[in-house]
Amino acid sequence: MDPVRNPYAPGAGQRPPELAGRGRELDVFDVVLERIARGRPERSLMLTGLRGVGKTVLLNTLRSQAINHLWGTGKIEARPDQSLRRPVAAALHMAVRELAPRHRAPDRIDAFLGVLKAFAQRAAPAGRGGAAPKMRDRWQPGIDVPASSGRADSGDIEIDLVELLTDAAAVATDVGTGIAIFIDEMQDLGAEDVSALCAACHELSQLGAPLIVVGAGLPHLPAVLSAAKSYSERLFRYQRIDRLDRIAADQALCAPAEREEVEYEQKALDLLYEKSGGYPYFVQAYGKATWDHAPRSPITAADVRVAAPEAEAELAVGFFGSRFERATPAEREYMRAMATLALVDGEDSGRDDMDAAVPTAEIARALGRKPASLSPARDALIKKGLIYSGERGTVAFTVPHFGRYLRTQPA
Ligand SMILES: Nc1ncnc2c1ncn2[C@@H]1O[C@H](COP(=O)(O)OP(=O)(O)OP(=O)(O)O)[C@@H](O)[C@H]1O
Ligand SMILES: [Mg+2]
């Protein structure tokens, strides 16, 4: 069918034509926004899940929801080895700029911007060892009030962040709304920054201040947060973002097609669900290839069968391959051992779950190595976001169906 009218959108952070199966999360967030606006206590939200389940897309949707409630918003994507200070300053700058036109005392806004500037400028000079700062580190805040002093500029990120966020929340209180800061890939924040953020959220919730953080990250994000502050388990509300159930996956495919007056035969939907496992990225990828191959409506199971190899080839490059290439030979060997063991486990238990956690001791045994000698590979893979350790002594892939992909790759 006409590829120009193809509605599906496989791709990182690509807005899907239909955000299926996330009604509960959207409702919860509506309640959170309303409660905070009325001065009720609420916890910051943390969305966790595997790669490609739709965390970024959901985070962006929640941001739109906050904007619709006239909140100030800003968004950050955390990166390993990057300090939180400047990104958080930029995000808050944006949030407060959205509120400023509704504020009746411009000097209060200027006072806040002075604090914000001081906070941002307190960043350690970028480029360790005296190297010239890189272009992206030379942040120009574009704030034309002078930096103030004595607040949020101690150089201790924990103290400074608490003060800065408290002041930002006060601006929101003045205009009778709130501020939401969205942090994607939150597991990549450095330990000090995570600690500081937890402390700030803790303080804000005690004050009943209208500022929340909405984070998204891999399944081990809760472990990262509780390693920083033991109280973080009670501080945040965790929401596991998972694959779509059958009804939601069908809706993700059928609703956009219907708008183009295209239908699916039931058998086509059966096969599509079998192939995608309900993982949103895969739903989009198989949907897209199937649309392009199907000669006419209704789309049949035979169309899906013809199109599947193309979807798989695209996933192999865009979804799996791009990640696999980030691994060194030793890390690839580690992951291959994981993939083989996950398969054995899955067969034993009769499950079709290829994404099972694998004990690290078994990986060492399979590779004929001492467990300690594999720690560097494991830690590097965790840092690269390819695997995670949900339970002590086990690892699992962050990428759904990664084991199956690896088993098809030549060694
Ligand atoms: N609820 C949904 N319904 C249908 N499609 C969805 C849904 N959520 C996400 N998608 C699609 O899934 C794909 C992946 O979404 P997204 O990039 O948000 O995932 P992610 O969890 O952030 O992945 P990563 O961990 O790699 O960053 C996109 O193509 C998006 O359009
Ligand atoms: Mg994402």
Side-chain angles (χ1 to χ4, degrees), residues 43-285:
R43 286 176 291 176
S44 284
L45 288 176
M46 294 294 141
L47 314 173
T48 66
L50 296 175
R51 296 259 169 234
V53 289
K55 301 179 296 296
T56 298
V57 157
L58 184 58
L59 206 60
N60 292 340
T61 309
L62 297 182
R63 187 180 180 186
S64 307
Q65 217 173 322
I67 292 171
N68 287 339
H69 278 74
L70 301 178
W71 279 45
T73 67
K75 192 179 163 197
I76 298 168
E77 187 178 314
R79 299 213 174 88
D81 306 319
Q82 189 192 50
S83 149
L84 181 64
R85 199 176 272 268
R86 279 174 180 169
V88 89
L92 274 176
H93 188 201
M94 165 149 284
V96 168
R97 236 181 358 208
E98 285 167 6
L99 301 181
R102 276 178 276 143
H103 202 290
R104 276 184 295 182
D107 53 320
R108 289 263 297 167
I109 299 284
D110 286 353
F112 173 74
L113 292 177
V115 172
L116 181 72
K117 194 170 189 175
F119 173 88
Q121 288 177 345
R122 201 64 184 73
R128 277 183 212 111
K134 290 191 204 96
M135 208 40 211
R136 67 177 161 81
D137 292 326
R138 248 184 272 145
W139 182 56
Q140 302 293 334
I143 296 174
D144 39 15
V145 302
S148 60
S149 79
R151 195 145 171 86
D153 62 351
S154 73
D156 178 327
I157 183 70
E158 188 158 325
I159 296 169
D160 294 353
L161 198 62
V162 170
E163 293 184 348
L164 184 72
L165 294 188
T166 311
D167 287 6
V171 171
T173 303
D174 290 345
V175 292
T177 72
I179 289 178
I181 299 299
F182 297 85
I183 307 183
D184 205 356
E185 302 290 351
M186 191 157 163
Q187 76 284 338
D188 283 345
L189 287 179
E192 266 194 7
D193 288 346
V194 170
S195 244
L197 206 61
C198 291
C201 287
H202 198 198
E203 180 72 19
L204 288 163
S205 74
Q206 287 169 41
L207 295 172
L211 190 151
I212 52 164
V213 173
V214 184
L218 293 172
H220 63 294
L221 177 60
V224 169
L225 296 175
S226 54
K229 297 276 190 225
S230 57
Y231 56 70
S232 78
E233 271 158 55
R234 282 159 285 137
L235 190 57
F236 301 114
R237 184 205 291 241
Y238 291 103
Q239 286 186 301
R240 177 85 193 207
I241 307 305
D242 222 324
R243 48 178 146 171
L244 303 176
D245 62 20
R246 175 65 198 264
I247 292 169
D250 285 0
Q251 191 201 342
L253 290 165
C254 295
E258 221 167 87
R259 293 195 280 271
E260 303 289 337
E261 287 164 14
V262 168
E263 289 183 353
Y264 285 88
E265 278 183 1
Q266 195 58 35
K267 289 232 166 68
L269 292 172
D270 292 346
L271 188 55
L272 281 165
Y273 194 73
E274 192 188 311
K275 300 225 169 259
S276 71
Y279 284 106
Y281 199 111
F282 302 157
V283 169
Q284 299 295 329

Side-chain angles (χ1 to χ4, degrees), residues 34-46:
E34 281 295 328
R35 283 178 57 84
I36 292 178
R38 294 180 195 185
R40 302 276 175 185
E42 258 307 334
R43 286 176 291 176
S44 284
L45 288 176
M46 294 294 141

Side-chain angles (χ1 to χ4, degrees), residues 243 274 277 342 346-347 349-356 401 404:
R243 48 178 146 171
E274 192 188 311
E347 275 174 354
S349 59
R351 282 171 305 150
D352 64 346
D353 177 10
M354 295 152 292
D355 303 316
H401 298 181
R404 180 161 71 182

